Amino acid sequence: MSTNAHLLELQASPHLHKAISVDRIMYHVLYALAPVCAFSVWQFGLSALALLAVCTATCLATEALFARLAQRPATISDGSAAITGVLLALTLPPGFPLWMGALGAFVSIALGKALFGGIGFNVFNPALIGRAFLQASFPVAITTWTPSFAPGRFTEFVPSSLALPFCKPPAIGEWLAGAADGFSGATPLAIQKFEHVQTDIGQLALGMTAGSAGETCSILLLAAGAYLIARGIMDWRIPAAMLGSAFLVSGIFYLADSAANPSPVFMLFSGGLMLGAIFMATDMVGSPVTPLGVWIYGALIGSITIVIRVEGGLPEGVMYAILLGNATTPLIDQWTQPRIFGERKEKHG
């Protein structure tokens, strides 16, 4: 037999590969997140910087620990664990106790990623798994907000940031009295939901309001999304479907009762909708792969977000909507499989 004979090589799917590596995809996401992180630190000061550092470092350490326990090659250099840490920090209040942030970061990697087998196997967005754990465990701390651009934010921490582990965080009322005049301690979504007062859209777009560390500046988040689309990293159809459905559903609520419900534009620019649409719902592992599926998936998340915001007990609903969207991904993929070329539907009866 000739040694030059052609061999038929059989491999498991996927058979189509992008030219760009996973590492490069992850680092492009980190590049897109860098301005958002910088704005967060400029807006909230040392506490936001420490929260970003602690969550990211804990995610990297946890990733290395589980890779060692599973006797797998270390994967901390691929950037995925760093993204999880950064995203988790950006979804938390700037003055969130650092030890709680570290605990949430550990849960993000341990339960959200390592439990499923590591990168590429997670069913849910790991950062949101960590945030959901923190929301259930520390409901007061995760809804305690600090003012934007407080004087002295670069020279002192928010007192709650340095709370000792498993001790009640100190009240920040006295610190707030000296840091800002007339701060209500609520996000624009909470003010609208419970007081029916709508924050100016310009203030929301520019990030001049209170909120989670990375959700306030909508313009910056949109610019980050444009960068990822231009690089071919992000499926633009998911945020388009998510934001479009959020606009449509909130418009229906607004037309039904404009006195009680905010305008669709307010809904788009407030809370974590932009952050979730651009950086979390687009998680390649937890989102569908079929063309029709990504539209359904994005529309489902946007609609659920608005229903929770308007009809639910909480002012925000992005986290739960994305996790529910992640859970439906296998079913959406199954229902929206394109017809195989040449296949015919069976005739019944």
Side-chain angles (χ1 to χ4, degrees):
M1 183 178 178
S2 172
T3 56
N4 295 324
H6 295 290
L7 298 177
L8 177 61
E9 185 178 357
L10 298 177
Q11 291 184 340
S13 62
H15 304 295
L16 299 177
H17 299 271
K18 296 194 72 170
I20 189 170
S21 66
V22 172
D23 294 14
R24 288 199 63 191
I25 291 173
M26 297 298 170
Y27 280 105
H28 277 301
V29 176
L30 286 173
Y31 300 155
L33 283 168
V36 181
C37 295
F39 184 85
S40 175
V41 174
W42 180 54
Q43 185 178 20
F44 297 112
L46 289 178
S47 289
L49 177 62
L51 187 62
L52 282 163
V54 167
C55 289
T56 305
T58 304
C59 280
L60 291 173
T62 308
E63 178 89 356
L65 171 65
F66 279 93
R68 186 177 181 86
L69 291 176
Q71 297 183 336
R72 294 197 307 261
T75 51
I76 60 173
S77 61
D78 63 21
S80 61
I83 290 175
T84 298
V86 170
L87 286 178
L88 174 64
L90 293 178
T91 64
L92 298 174
F96 197 66
L98 297 178
W99 74 268
M100 293 183 188
L103 185 60
F106 176 82
V107 170
S108 293
I109 297 297
L111 298 185
K113 188 175 177 184
L115 182 67
F116 294 97
I119 184 171
F121 295 97
N122 53 285
V123 177
F124 301 98
N125 183 288
L128 291 182
I129 290 291
R131 196 190 189 283
F133 168 79
L134 294 174
Q135 178 92 44
S137 303
F138 311 108
V140 175
I142 210 167
T143 52
T144 300
W145 311 98
T146 53
S148 299
F149 306 107
R153 64 190 183 279
F154 294 120
T155 57
E156 60 180 337
F157 286 92
V158 178
S160 55
S161 295
L162 304 178
L164 295 175
F166 304 106
C167 294
K168 184 179 180 181
I172 62 173
E174 185 176 342
W175 180 83
L176 285 175
D181 296 328
F183 178 67
S184 67
T187 63
L189 277 176
I191 295 172
Q192 191 284 324
K193 187 175 184 68
F194 301 118
E195 302 175 22
H196 300 296
V197 176
Q198 192 168 304
T199 305
D200 178 70
I201 301 300
Q203 295 286 307
L204 292 173
L206 295 174
M208 299 293 111
T209 64
S212 295
E215 72 177 21
T216 59
C217 188
S218 301
I219 290 180
L220 207 54
L221 290 167
L222 288 173
Y227 170 80
L228 293 176
I229 292 172
R231 289 287 181 179
I233 305 298
M234 183 177 73
D235 189 337
W236 63 271
R237 294 168 296 185
I238 294 175
M242 188 172 161
L243 298 176
S245 64
F247 186 88
L248 179 63
V249 176
S250 58
I252 294 172
F253 278 112
Y254 181 69
L255 291 176
D257 187 355
S258 59
N261 300 315
S263 70
V265 178
F266 173 85
M267 283 296 199
L268 288 185
F269 285 90
S270 58
L273 188 60
M274 295 282 184
L275 181 66
I278 293 167
F279 288 105
M280 297 178 183
T282 51
D283 186 334
M284 293 180 179
V285 184
S287 55
V289 295
T290 61
L292 177 59
V294 294
W295 287 107
I296 296 173
Y297 168 80
L300 180 68
I301 295 174
S303 302
I304 293 175
T305 297
I306 300 304
V307 170
I308 292 175
R309 283 183 176 184
V310 175
E311 300 293 339
L314 297 173
E316 181 58 283
V318 173
M319 177 186 71
Y320 295 113
I322 294 177
L323 290 175
L324 287 171
N326 291 155
T328 61
T329 289
L331 201 57
I332 293 174
D333 270 336
Q334 182 181 344
W335 285 349
T336 57
Q337 283 295 319
R339 186 167 61 89
I340 300 173
F341 183 74
E343 181 187 43
R344 293 182 179 178
K345 290 185 178 179
E346 293 183 5
K347 293 183 179 179
H348 300 282

